Amino acid sequence: MKIDRLIGIITTLQQKGRVTAPYLAEKFEVSRRTINRDIEDICRAGIPIVTVQGANGGVQIMDGFTIDTTVFTEDELQTIFAGLKGLDSVSHSPKSQRLTEKIGGVIPVADNMIIDLASFYKDSLSEKIDLLKTAIRDRKRVKFHYYYNKGEDDKTVEPALIVFKWTSWYMFGFCPERDDFRMYKLGRLWDLTLTDETFTPREIPSEKMNFGGNMSDDIIIKAIYEPEEKYKLVEEYGPYSFRVMEDGRLYTEWGFTYLNNALGWFLSFGSNVEVLSPPEFKQLYLDELKKMADKYK
C-alpha cells in the first residue's frame, strides 16, 4: 500500500539521514519516478524533504525539522512488538518486520520477550488461521471435517472469532445445524475450505463470550499422588493445591467438569496415583484399567 511506503520512506530518512532515490526505489521495489512522486506527496503533507547535489548527495529531511515520535513509550512499543511477533509465529505474512522498519529506528525496542503460539503442525495451523481471517472479513461460511470424542463429522459454520485459549487455537462460530455458537479446536479441524455462502454476522450473547464459563467443576475427586508427581500438580494447579501427608505423598481434592476428562488426567499418572472417591468415578477408573490390562493378556 502507498501509505505504508510513504511511512517507510519517512522512517528510512529518519534512520539514515540522507539516501539516494535509487536506494529508495530498490528498497521499496518501485520505480524512481514513483519515489519522486512519493517525495512530493510527503512534502505536501508538511514534511520538508530537500535534495543535496554532489558525489555524496541524495534526499533528506530538512535540517532542524523534527517529527514527534512520542506517541508510544518504549515499554508500550515492546509490548506491541511482543504481541505482534507472537502472531507472526502462526502467520504466513509476518508483520513485525514491516513495523520494525517503520518505527524501530525511532524508538529503541528491546527483544526481551519471545511468544511462540505455533505448534508441531505450524504450516497447516497458519493456513487455517489465514483462511478463517478471510472468511470472517468477507463473511463467508466455511466447511471442514471435525474430529471429537463421539466420532467425526462434516460441519458448515459461520466463523466469528479466532481464539487462543487453554494453550490451543480455536474457531468460535455459529453452527446453523445446532442453531448455536460453538468452539472448534483447530487441531481437530481439517479439510477447511471457504464456501461461496455469505452470512450476516450475528450478535454474540455475552454469556457465550465467557469461554469455559459453563465448566462448573462440580465433580470433586479425592486422590493421593506419589511425591515425584509434585511438579505436575504445581504446573497444573499451583503449589498450594495439595497437602503433603506424613509419608510424603500428596493429597488433593479437585473439581472436574466431566468424568471422561478426569479419567484421562488420572490415567496419565500410571501407578503414581490412587483414586479415593467418589465411588462412581473409582468404578469408572477401575473399569478402564481392566480394559487396558485385558489388551495385554
Side-chain angles (χ1 to χ4, degrees), residues 2 4 73 155-156 220 226 234:
K2 182 175 181 178
D4 289 339
T73 66
K155 301 284 186 181
T156 300
I220 305 299
E226 295 299 322
V234 171

Side-chain angles (χ1 to χ4, degrees), residues 225-240:
Y225 298 80
E226 295 299 322
E228 56 263 35
E229 302 296 345
K230 179 185 290 188
Y231 76 99
K232 291 183 183 178
L233 308 187
V234 171
E235 179 182 350
E236 190 72 17
Y237 292 99
Y240 307 110

Side-chain angles (χ1 to χ4, degrees), residues 111-147:
D111 291 325
N112 58 5
M113 183 181 296
I114 296 176
I115 302 175
D116 190 346
L117 301 177
S119 65
F120 291 112
Y121 54 99
K122 175 182 178 180
D123 290 341
S124 61
L125 176 63
S126 299
E127 291 174 3
K128 293 173 187 176
I129 291 176
D130 288 346
L131 189 147
L132 289 173
K133 288 166 63 177
T134 299
I136 295 171
R137 182 195 65 205
D138 297 341
R139 301 178 180 180
K140 295 287 186 68
R141 288 180 172 179
V142 294
K143 289 184 176 181
F144 53 90
H145 194 70
Y146 197 67
Y147 299 83

Side-chain angles (χ1 to χ4, degrees), residues 32 40 63 69 75 95-96 116-117 159 166 201 208 223 260:
R32 182 171 176 177
E40 292 175 2
D63 290 338
T69 61
D75 285 343
K95 301 295 190 301
S96 59
D116 190 346
L117 301 177
W166 308 301
K208 294 292 183 180
N260 285 336

